Amino acid sequence: MFRTSPTSWLVEQTRSRWYEKASRPTTLSAHTRICVAELVMPREAVPADFPKEGWLHR
């Protein structure tokens, strides 16, 4: 895990595995960026409308 700024990190995931037909292990790497944010102004969800008559309900 690497810290790139006060609110951001970079995560590296590495694994090695042997494939059946390989003579040596293969290394696979993946990277994920994680950012931290603060909710400053919450927004309320808009209420859903009641379905109109005549619509098919599944």
Side-chain angles (χ1 to χ4, degrees):
M1 181 176 274
F2 303 92
R3 185 177 205 157
T4 57
S5 74
T7 60
S8 182
W9 289 269
L10 180 66
V11 179
E12 179 183 27
Q13 298 169 330
T14 304
R15 68 178 180 164
S16 293
R17 82 179 272 187
W18 285 87
Y19 288 101
E20 292 179 18
K21 298 179 181 180
S23 60
R24 58 189 170 133
T26 301
T27 303
L28 305 170
S29 293
H31 297 83
T32 305
R33 183 174 304 272
I34 300 173
C35 297
V36 178
E38 177 184 1
L39 180 61
V40 181
M41 184 182 301
R43 189 173 92 179
E44 293 184 24
V46 179
D49 292 333
F50 192 76
K52 296 179 182 177
E53 288 190 33
W55 283 21
L56 296 176
H57 299 282
R58 295 184 183 182

